[in-house]
Amino acid sequence: MQADYVIVGAGSAGCAMAYRLSEAGKSVIVIEHGGSDAGPLIQMPAALSYPMNMKAYDWGYSTQAEPHLGGRRLATPRGKVIGGSSSINGMVYVRGHARDFDHWEETGARGWAYADVLPYYKRMEHWHAGLHGGDPEWRGTDGPLHVSRGPRRNPLVRAFVEAGRQAGYPTTDDYNGEQQEGFGPFDATIHLGRRWSAANAYLRPALKRPECTLIRAFARRIVIAEGRATGVEVDRKGVREVIHAGKEVIVAASSINSPKLLMLSGIGPAAHLAQHGIDVVADRAGVGQNLQDHLELYIQQAATQPVSLFTYWKLMWKAIIGAQWLFGKRGLGTSNQFESAAFVRSGPGVEYPDIQFHFLPLAIRYDGKVAAEGHGFQAHVGPMRSPSRGAVTLASADPAEAPHILFNYMSHPQDWEDFRTCIRLTREIFAQEAFAPFRGHEIQPGAAVQSDDELDAFIREHAESAYHPCGTCKMGAVDDPMAVVDPECRVIGVEGLRVADSSIFPRITNGNLNAPSIMVGEKASDHILGRAPLARANEQPWIHPAWATSQR
């Protein structure tokens, strides 16, 4: 089999590139190890806790024992399914803050400032602004990716935003528009009651074109001849074969599997490759390094009125909700239940938000197990820009073996200070008058947990990944020894090879990573096609006028 372009991974970025390259008349083969995304467990938004805990849809990775979290091994879900992690995620849509991308450019990713990427966000979006308000001039209206908002009928969802306002924070009608900072409604990749994954948005339309082919296979390594990538060696239906690329191989296999595939192909830190008997094609010290993530805590409060979603956690109600969704795409099944959000700054002197809140009108764990105490609500809260860095490394030269993943969470003193601040600010928000009609006792951490040492013990035991890994094939200047790809996503030192997914992020962006991952696929497509990038935007983001001296 041969095509102009061979893309490894039908995830967020890979689907976008398949769409844009085939749209331009180029032949494309997409290699995906995972299977179908059909069925209600993926397509029903409210069922989001199921697919990421199922071997059928998830690679099943976990970290090594994290030394600063008491040796815990944390789950690291990555989508092994059509649509990749966009088919198993929480469907939350966050572009990232303008300053995140300005930082990318300042650190060597030239052409990736906010003014450069905003036009691609507009190109990819179909924003349903007429129903929801927001900042229409900042949003796209005819892209493949539908972005909407939940109905926000639950009184707790509205109380959270009002509590933020009462605590002195700004409100924002569109954190993906001019003003990220503040409390307001969440955006979601949900359309007509269904999960609107990268598969639904991009891959299915692409596959209707004769230029685009999807094959189910396991990518073992990139075939490189005389310094040029010429194809991908795969295991397919029990047979080993090479899928040939006439022009380029594009790796979009996730921040975990992309560096793994590069290293198996001889691209990475030479000493590490030598340990595993892999011949070095390109000595790139940064492959697998710079691993980042968002950690978060669930701050849980009991509710004194039966207004939370706990009512619907009984088997009978689940059956009713499932039937409403299945036969009419209506009811509670059509929402991911994350309907209110906040981005705030942790203190004076912080220019733009460094804390994110997901509010949920239910006290529950991410694996779908509800708190034993019945009705409640919670905020998922965590710092956005941890200075801690980890790595993805090879466990062996066997492609079938999972890589070693160590985030090195909480390895920097700043992390502990930031998380204590997160807990205390959340408690202050929950103490506002808006929650008075509903507020019971604090379930977690519990009112007795107050001192720095007590909070640190809680953090060590309960901090969880928000499942936003990135950074392991860093984009940067060609003379940066830790850069893996240049600003056109070309792997430095190898011809005909690019990486385009969340692994190229130089630094993690604010919020959930699906939107910026798709944006990378959109922008990389223009680089691959040799097109001039879209014209830079002129919009200027809102920055709190008193940020230097005030926390809110």
Side-chain angles (χ1 to χ4, degrees):
M1 295 187 72
Q2 176 163 346
D4 295 331
Y5 298 99
V6 176
I7 298 172
V8 183
S12 298
C15 290
M17 290 186 288
Y19 180 94
R20 294 300 179 190
L21 297 177
S22 61
E23 180 185 54
K26 307 299 182 185
S27 60
V28 180
I29 293 174
V30 183
I31 301 168
E32 172 55 51
H33 184 45
S36 170
D37 62 342
L41 288 182
I42 282 182
Q43 298 300 332
M44 183 167 77
L48 64 91
S49 65
Y50 292 100
M52 72 171 59
N53 291 292
M54 295 175 67
K55 288 181 179 177
Y57 303 128
D58 173 34
W59 282 87
Y61 293 147
S62 63
T63 71
Q64 299 297 297
E66 289 286 347
H68 306 281
L69 292 178
R72 286 194 291 140
R73 294 172 65 106
L74 274 62
T76 309
R78 290 293 87 193
K80 187 179 71 176
V81 60
I82 304 305
S85 294
S86 77
S87 289
I88 68 168
N89 69 358
M91 291 154 282
V92 171
Y93 183 84
V94 184
R95 286 172 167 178
H97 195 280
R99 290 286 187 262
D100 292 328
F101 303 103
D102 293 344
H103 179 269
W104 285 15
E105 176 160 87
E106 289 159 10
T107 54
R110 296 301 300 271
W112 290 79
Y114 186 62
D116 300 300
V117 304
L118 179 56
Y120 288 94
Y121 276 123
K122 290 183 178 182
R123 183 171 87 177
M124 72 196 226
E125 286 178 357
H126 188 135
W127 166 240
H128 293 265
L131 300 174
H132 304 298
D135 287 345
E137 68 277 13
W138 289 69
R139 310 302 293 261
T141 55
D142 56 2
L145 189 72
H146 290 278
V147 181
S148 63
R149 289 181 180 167
R152 309 189 75 237
R153 296 188 189 103
N154 189 290
L156 294 167
V157 167
R158 298 192 297 273
F160 180 70
V161 175
E162 178 58 17
R165 190 192 66 76
Q166 290 171 352
Y169 293 102
T171 57
T172 178
D173 194 38
D174 190 353
Y175 63 77
N176 281 315
E178 181 181 11
Q179 179 185 330
Q180 185 186 77
E181 186 169 343
F183 283 65
F186 247 138
D187 289 353
T189 48
I190 297 171
H191 181 50
L192 300 177
R194 293 175 62 204
R195 174 192 291 274
W196 203 248
S197 65
N200 285 332
Y202 287 98
L203 188 61
R204 286 196 167 80
L207 290 172
K208 291 176 181 174
R209 303 176 184 133
E211 293 86 359
C212 187
T213 303
L214 174 71
I215 66 165
R216 284 198 63 188
F218 176 70
R220 296 175 51 84
R221 66 182 181 94
I222 302 150
V223 178
I224 300 170
E226 298 177 355
R228 182 175 188 86
T230 60
V232 180
E233 181 184 272
V234 301
D235 288 334
R236 183 179 180 223
K237 297 178 180 175
V239 177
R240 190 156 299 166
E241 60 181 297
V242 174
I243 310 299
H244 297 279
K247 294 182 183 291
E248 290 185 356
V249 173
I250 305 156
V251 179
S254 85
S255 56
I256 307 301
N257 285 327
S258 290
K260 177 192 170 189
L261 188 60
L262 291 187
M263 289 186 281
L264 290 170
S265 309
I267 303 160
H272 179 58
L273 300 185
Q275 283 176 347
H276 295 290
I278 297 170
D279 292 336
V280 178
V281 172
D283 180 8
R284 298 307 305 173
V287 176
Q289 303 299 304
N290 192 45
L291 177 62
Q292 301 160 65
D293 190 15
H294 290 139
L295 274 183
E296 61 185 9
L297 289 168
Y298 301 175
I299 310 302
Q300 296 180 333
Q301 197 89 26
T304 55
Q305 296 188 45
V307 292
S308 80
L309 297 176
F310 182 73
T311 300
Y312 305 102
W313 229 252
K314 298 178 178 68
L315 197 58
M316 181 191 73
W317 268 109
K318 285 185 176 182
I320 292 169
I321 290 166
Q324 286 177 333
W325 183 85
L326 204 57
F327 299 112
K329 299 296 181 288
R330 59 187 178 86
L332 282 170
T334 64
S335 173
N336 60 1
Q337 310 308 331
F338 290 116
E339 296 182 353
S340 283
F343 290 91
V344 305
R345 291 175 298 110
S346 60
V350 178
E351 185 190 16
Y352 68 100
D354 60 342
I355 294 173
Q356 180 185 16
F357 292 94
H358 297 69
F359 181 77
L360 192 62
L362 180 68
I364 191 173
R365 292 184 351 198
Y366 219 49
D367 63 5
K369 293 183 171 65
V370 296
E373 306 196 19
H375 284 282
F377 51 93
Q378 69 190 35
H380 302 194
V381 62
M384 289 292 93
R385 295 188 286 283
S386 166
S388 295
R389 295 291 182 271
V392 173
T393 51
L394 293 177
S396 79
D398 179 3
E401 192 162 345
H404 282 153
I405 303 166
L406 184 72
F407 285 93
N408 208 21
Y409 290 125
M410 305 299 291
S411 57
H412 195 283
Q414 185 69 41
D415 293 321
W416 298 91
E417 188 176 322
D418 289 346
F419 259 111
R420 288 182 223 120
T421 300
C422 285
I423 295 170
R424 288 171 172 144
L425 291 178
T426 308
R427 283 172 160 169
E428 183 191 11
I429 292 160
F430 282 174
Q432 298 301 312
E433 184 63 25
F435 278 115
F438 315 110
R439 185 176 52 242
H441 67 281
E442 183 176 291
I443 300 170
Q444 182 175 290
V449 179
Q450 294 292 338
S451 71
D452 284 2
D453 286 348
E454 289 165 342
L455 292 175
D456 287 352
F458 173 75
I459 294 162
R460 193 174 294 110
E461 188 176 343
H462 292 281
E464 293 289 344
S465 172
Y467 309 139
H468 301 161
C470 64
T472 49
C473 299
K474 187 182 89 160
M475 174 169 52
V478 176
D479 59 1
D480 178 350
M482 295 304 290
V484 177
V485 300
D486 71 9
E488 294 197 8
C489 307
R490 297 174 294 208
V491 174
I492 300 165
V494 182
E495 295 292 313
L497 180 62
R498 299 191 204 231
V499 179
D501 58 18
S502 64
S503 69
I504 74 167
F505 293 10
R507 189 175 73 179
I508 197 164
T509 55
N510 268 13
N512 311 62
L513 299 192
N514 187 45
S517 298
I518 294 173
M519 180 276 293
V520 162
E522 283 272 8
K523 191 170 186 297
S525 300
D526 278 358
H527 294 307
I528 293 162
L529 292 167
R531 291 176 173 169
L534 298 179
R536 300 183 91 225
N538 295 316
E539 289 93 338
Q540 291 298 314
W542 184 89
I543 301 290
H544 197 294
W547 70 265
T549 56
S550 174
Q551 186 257 331
R552 63 189 85 167

